Amino acid sequence: MKLTDFNFELPQELIAQKPSGIRGQDKLMMLGKNDGSVKHFQMENLPDLVESGTLMIFNNSKVRRSRCYGIKTTSGREQEFMFLNNMGAECNVWNTMVKGAKKVKAGNVYKFPDGSEGTIIENPADEGTEFRTIKFPFPLTEQWFEHNGHIPLPPYIRREDDDTDSERYQTIYAKETGSAACPTAGLHFTQDILEKLKSKGIDLEWITLHVGLGTFLPVRTENIEEHKMHEEVYSVPYDVAEKINNAKKEGRPVLAVGTTSVRTLESACDENGIVKGGPGSTHIFMYPGYKFKVVDQMFTNFHTPESTLLMLVSAFAGRENILNAYSEAVKQKYHFFSYGDCMLIK
């Protein structure tokens, strides 16, 4: 399939730049996976749209303050780093994504706000990419990121992060720190909505996938099949894996909240759809033609044109159904992307 098969027109004013005034007060579109039908609701209606007995799976990864700015010691030039993951047991060597990567060379030393210094080191995997490996003389802790880092708002949000983002670019159930971007479908959930879901006999369980920016990197190949995803780590608690497998045996729907939960469940299962508990890693790339083995329903945001996330939901509900739904969303002035509105596909 061609990259242009996943393009659509989106007015700039529909790209949400800030969260809604109150968490959970967003528009909700329900899309029929099989017939392409579209219905319009509000997020508060979700408990009425999910049938009793459904097993909902959430991603409890917590966003790290991973956007950091260092000053090149020889020139005084500021350089932005997006810290993605540590690359060793000592936690002092990190994989980062940088702007203007050609100028960020091995041997460059950068000073961060607390006075600590990191040195770019050679890594053959970085050549010709926007990634660079940086080494510190000590392990980086979450306290280091809290002191030196910023909330990693995506590039289509054209403003600096502020105090509001510290709360709103984080799900209310975030627990395991490690993501470089928020699993944003979860941003719509409030404690009240979670309680209403539980009171209706809907099971809620949590897995963890730490979101790397590989999910959001642009597809640069004309034929999408040639695109390679970057690796992300996940963990499925053993008791949650058992509950998922039991739900499948009993014919109860598994509803994945967010594409990160989808990626985790479809990566953690065998060819028969049996989910295995424990840690793992994935570079799964789902596009039309992919056969889902675990996920029956999906709750998600509206995604960017020509993105791997748009391809994933197109694999789930059909490209034409998705693009038709997105066209309707534009007409109805839904807001798109991380701080935008949401969609239930079933």
Side-chain angles (χ1 to χ4, degrees):
M1 302 187 76
K2 302 296 184 185
L3 182 60
T4 52
D5 291 336
F6 298 91
N7 197 8
F8 64 92
E9 294 296 324
L10 179 65
Q12 285 291 312
E13 63 266 22
L14 296 185
I15 300 175
Q17 296 297 307
K18 293 184 177 181
S20 57
I22 299 175
R23 190 190 293 265
Q25 294 191 359
D26 307 294
K27 292 181 180 179
L28 168 62
M29 174 185 287
M30 186 164 75
L31 171 63
K33 180 170 64 171
N34 297 320
D35 62 8
S37 60
V38 169
K39 297 178 181 178
H40 303 286
F41 299 94
Q42 295 293 315
M43 180 62 193
E44 64 185 12
N45 302 129
L46 181 67
D48 298 322
L49 304 177
V50 181
E51 62 189 89
S52 178
T54 298
L55 174 58
M56 294 182 70
I57 303 295
F58 298 78
N59 182 6
N60 65 4
S61 182
K62 187 174 183 179
V63 181
R64 174 179 286 129
R65 297 181 73 91
S66 54
R67 175 175 281 124
C68 303
Y69 296 88
I71 301 297
K72 188 178 179 182
T73 56
T74 56
S75 68
R77 178 177 176 269
E78 185 178 73
Q79 178 65 52
E80 178 184 316
F81 292 86
M82 183 70 76
F83 283 74
L84 301 179
N85 56 276
N86 67 70
M87 303 177 68
E90 296 182 6
C91 294
N92 67 325
V93 178
W94 284 75
N95 176 33
T96 68
M97 189 166 75
V98 302
K99 292 183 177 180
K102 288 183 179 180
K103 296 181 180 179
V104 182
K105 301 181 183 299
N108 286 8
V109 178
Y110 296 88
K111 179 175 285 189
F112 292 86
D114 68 346
S116 59
E117 293 184 350
T119 303
I120 304 299
I121 62 174
E122 287 194 26
N123 181 351
D126 294 342
E127 292 183 12
T129 73
E130 52 269 273
F131 300 100
R132 291 294 182 268
T133 303
I134 188 167
K135 183 176 182 179
F136 290 79
F138 55 85
L140 299 192
T141 64
E142 293 308 323
Q143 289 74 21
W144 187 91
F145 286 104
E146 286 295 317
H147 186 88
N148 292 281
H150 295 258
I151 298 295
L153 295 178
Y156 46 73
I157 295 180
R158 295 188 172 91
R159 61 176 177 82
E160 294 298 316
D161 64 300
D162 57 32
D163 291 341
T164 301
D165 299 304
S166 296
E167 176 200 358
R168 295 296 300 274
Y169 195 66
Q170 200 82 266
T171 64
I172 64 166
Y173 47 78
K175 181 180 179 182
E176 305 293 339
T177 303
S179 279
C182 184
T184 54
L187 294 178
H188 303 280
F189 289 84
T190 63
Q191 194 60 47
D192 181 59
I193 291 174
L194 294 178
E195 292 299 328
K196 287 180 178 177
L197 288 165
K198 286 191 284 189
S199 69
K200 194 182 172 184
I202 295 159
D203 293 330
L204 314 181
E205 294 294 344
W206 280 263
I207 52 86
T208 305
L209 180 138
H210 292 314
V211 186
L213 293 191
T215 299
F216 303 96
L217 284 176
V219 178
R220 297 190 175 103
T221 58
E222 183 180 357
N223 296 314
I224 65 169
E225 295 88 348
E226 297 172 6
H227 177 70
K228 303 297 182 185
M229 295 285 288
H230 285 267
E231 198 164 51
E232 295 168 314
V233 296
Y234 66 80
S235 179
V236 179
Y238 290 98
D239 63 322
V240 174
E242 184 178 2
K243 289 177 181 178
I244 295 168
N245 293 330
N246 287 338
K248 299 297 289 185
K249 288 178 186 176
E250 296 163 7
R252 295 187 288 118
V254 174
L255 196 172
V257 175
T259 57
T260 59
S261 296
V262 174
R263 287 167 53 78
T264 301
L265 298 182
E266 294 294 319
S267 299
C269 69
D270 62 18
E271 62 274 9
N272 298 313
I274 305 299
V275 176
K276 299 177 181 179
S281 63
T282 180
H283 48 75
I284 191 171
F285 179 23
M286 289 175 268
Y287 51 86
Y290 177 83
K291 303 299 182 185
F292 289 80
K293 298 182 281 294
V294 180
V295 178
D296 302 300
Q297 301 174 9
M298 189 188 307
F299 180 91
T300 186
N301 279 13
F302 290 87
H303 304 295
T304 54
E306 299 185 345
S307 65
T308 60
L309 301 180
L310 183 62
M311 294 168 194
L312 185 156
V313 295
S314 295
F316 191 71
R319 186 182 70 91
E320 289 189 7
N321 287 345
I322 288 293
L323 292 181
N324 288 339
Y326 275 41
S327 177
E328 178 67 14
V330 170
K331 291 177 184 176
Q332 298 296 328
K333 298 193 182 304
Y334 278 65
H335 285 106
F336 281 65
F337 311 161
S338 295
Y339 275 147
D341 295 309
C342 51
M343 172 185 283
L344 174 64
I345 308 175
K346 59 180 289 190

